[in-house]
Amino acid sequence: MTITGKSAAEIFDSIRLQVQTGKLPPGAALPPVRDLAAALEVNRNTVAAAYKRLTATGLARAQGRLGTTIADQNAPGEQEGQNFDSPLADLASGNPNPDWLPDPTRLLARDDYRPRLYGEPTVSDALEALARRWFDSDCPAGYRIDMTHGAVDAIERLVAVHLVTGDGVAVEDPCFLGTINALRLAGMHAIGVETDAEGMRPESLERVLSAGAQAVLITPRAQNPTGCSLSAARADALRAVLAKFPNVLAIADDHFALLADAPYASVIPASTWRWALIRSMSKALGPDLRVAFVASDTATSDRLRARLAPGMTWVSHLLQDIVGACLTSPEVATIIGEAKAQYTRRRNELADALRSRNIPVPPLADGFNVWLPVEMDATALAHSLARRGWLVRSAQAFAVHTPIHAIRITVSALKDGEADRLAADVRRCLDGG
């Protein structure tokens, strides 16, 4: 490895070329700033600026005292989803229970279908009217409705149209896997905000925004992985913080809207210039219906529509027709209601079983998962549970900055009567058994 250059740009280009040619493979350590500055006979700030640009563009990773290393450009990061090859009871997937999803093919026989052509509106009139009835009470006046291919797709598109490579995005810590991966692949820098049982802590968010973060992503209810939902008081406090930073892009990812027990509490102040509220269909209608509604201010909508224009990547009107049919079907409404009750019952059943064995579980949980903070190493606990037949997710996959000692248990795959046996096994593992 021979790094050359006298300016930050030249040093950056020298390292980038060696990454592209394979001379600097993923994981390779770059020289300490002091050493490289001495070797090149330049100021240390020059090398530091080059390294900062490398990390901002995703070519390198800054690891504090461990130095700066070359990042793996092809690594997708840890993913959600079912492990079909595992013999274990899969409580790690983050999936809905397929038995509680509607069958949209039963709704496809329609007399009014017509092919849609280039130049059509990106959102069907019927679906937009339905969405507005859903969003009107939760959005600032003058908003628009757009569609994306799910919540993560919406997040990736929103940051792409408003931010530049290397910008900081404030997220909950711990944070959803899909969000972490989407921001990393978009070249953004996820900055963790401390959370508790009511969601983001306002003082932590204000520190991050004061330090220069250009966007904030908040999950108002059923936060993944913790399951926490914003109380009305916490939402008010976060909205007051955001009002101090009207230029910051504010995104509310209400991904669990159709199934949530908690009421929606808005965090978007009227003074915010750039904002979006996302509601996905994937949790209630199934991951294959990757459609999300995005309500936003008009400038954000204009930018989204430029990327979703007909002839490029607009959401299929056939998918929109299916979603519209599902959301207006009394049969599907009954299925969603029953699924919501089942997820609530499974969460409560497992939480009660854990508490009965003196294992504390955070309150205010919602969603598919039970979040279990522990004092021991979470990875070791996950391995111990695997030996007893349970596949769970260690919290390290969700950590943005600091290590987190917890496991996430997806309850949708729990069968009747299994919660008590799982809780007993967790207790034995915590006791060293």
Side-chain angles (χ1 to χ4, degrees):
M1 173 177 59
T2 302
I3 300 173
T4 60
K6 292 295 184 182
S7 68
E10 289 172 347
I11 296 169
F12 171 86
D13 287 338
S14 174
I15 295 172
R16 179 172 61 174
L17 178 61
Q18 295 186 63
V19 171
Q20 292 170 340
T21 57
K23 293 180 180 179
L24 278 173
L30 294 175
V33 170
R34 182 192 302 269
D35 294 353
L36 184 57
L40 298 177
E41 298 181 344
V42 299
N43 189 287
R44 278 182 289 177
N45 290 338
T46 301
V47 176
Y51 281 15
K52 183 177 181 180
R53 185 179 174 192
L54 287 165
T55 57
T57 55
L59 287 171
R61 295 178 58 198
Q63 298 180 292
R65 294 180 180 178
L66 298 178
T68 303
T69 60
I70 299 302
D72 187 350
Q73 303 302 299
N74 299 316
E78 191 168 339
Q79 302 290 309
E80 290 276 33
Q82 188 169 350
N83 186 342
F84 289 97
D85 297 328
S86 174
L88 307 179
D90 190 351
L91 308 181
S93 71
N95 269 315
N97 188 317
D99 294 337
W100 304 334
L101 296 174
D103 179 2
T105 62
R106 299 176 60 184
L107 305 172
L108 291 181
R110 345 179 5 152
D111 297 329
D112 60 344
Y113 173 76
R114 67 174 181 82
R116 265 58 65 96
L117 304 175
Y118 297 128
E120 299 271 359
T122 54
V123 182
S124 70
D125 291 341
L127 199 57
E128 177 163 357
L130 188 155
R132 287 194 173 277
R133 292 195 294 273
W134 192 14
F135 281 82
D136 269 348
S137 61
D138 299 326
C139 292
Y143 71 93
R144 287 182 182 168
I145 293 288
D146 295 291
M147 305 290 290
T148 63
H149 299 279
V152 173
D153 180 57
I155 292 166
E156 187 171 7
R157 291 179 187 277
L158 287 165
V159 298
V161 299
H162 275 307
L163 308 186
V164 298
T165 299
D167 275 346
V169 180
V171 298
E172 293 119 347
D173 192 6
C175 184
F176 176 53
L177 290 175
T179 300
I180 294 173
N181 290 333
L183 293 177
R184 180 177 61 83
L185 293 173
M188 309 303 168
H189 178 47
I191 306 174
V193 176
E194 297 171 16
T195 61
D196 58 22
E198 295 183 60
M200 274 190 178
R201 296 181 62 86
E203 65 275 13
S204 180
L205 175 61
E206 185 160 4
R207 284 196 299 271
V208 170
L209 296 183
S210 296
Q214 295 297 305
V216 57
L217 176 59
I218 298 176
T219 312
R221 45 189 173 177
Q223 195 267 348
N224 193 342
T226 66
C228 69
S229 298
L230 297 177
S231 66
R234 178 59 57 85
D236 288 345
L238 292 173
R239 192 165 56 250
V241 171
L242 288 173
K244 301 177 183 179
F245 302 88
N247 61 308
V248 167
L249 170 64
I251 304 173
D253 178 14
D254 194 21
H255 68 108
F256 209 69
L258 286 174
L259 293 167
D261 286 329
Y264 177 74
S266 176
V267 297
I268 301 170
S271 59
T272 293
W273 305 339
R274 306 175 298 172
W275 64 270
L277 169 58
I278 304 166
R279 285 178 172 155
S280 169
M281 302 294 100
S282 299
K283 302 299 188 298
L285 304 184
D288 204 34
L289 280 178
R290 303 204 62 75
V291 175
F293 295 93
V294 183
S296 68
D297 63 276
T298 55
T300 295
S301 175
D302 283 340
R303 295 191 179 195
L304 272 178
R305 291 180 183 190
R307 294 173 61 87
L308 292 166
M312 294 171 62
T313 55
W314 81 97
V315 172
S316 163
H317 282 278
L318 184 56
L319 275 178
Q320 294 186 43
D321 290 344
I322 296 172
V323 169
C326 286
L327 294 181
T328 54
S329 163
E331 177 186 351
V332 172
T334 298
I335 292 171
I336 291 174
E338 291 175 350
K340 176 180 175 179
Q342 288 283 7
Y343 292 129
T344 300
R345 182 177 68 82
R346 296 287 170 94
R347 288 194 313 269
N348 292 339
E349 188 177 82
L350 179 57
D352 290 344
L354 291 166
R355 292 186 184 113
S356 72
R357 289 166 173 82
N358 296 318
I359 303 171
V361 180
L364 302 177
D366 207 340
F368 294 151
N369 307 301
V370 168
W371 181 250
L372 183 59
V374 294
E375 295 183 0
M376 68 180 292
D377 177 76
T379 302
L381 176 57
H383 289 162
S384 296
L385 286 170
R387 289 193 290 270
R388 294 180 178 274
W390 306 104
L391 184 63
V392 300
R393 185 83 70 167
S394 169
Q396 286 309 109
F398 307 100
V400 180
H401 293 312
T402 57
I404 300 173
H405 301 291
I407 58 172
R408 192 197 70 178
I409 304 171
T410 299
V411 301
S412 52
L414 273 176
K415 297 180 173 59
D416 287 338
E418 285 188 334
D420 197 65
R421 182 164 63 88
L422 172 59
D425 282 341
V426 172
R427 181 73 271 171
R428 292 187 189 100
C429 293
L430 290 174
D431 292 340

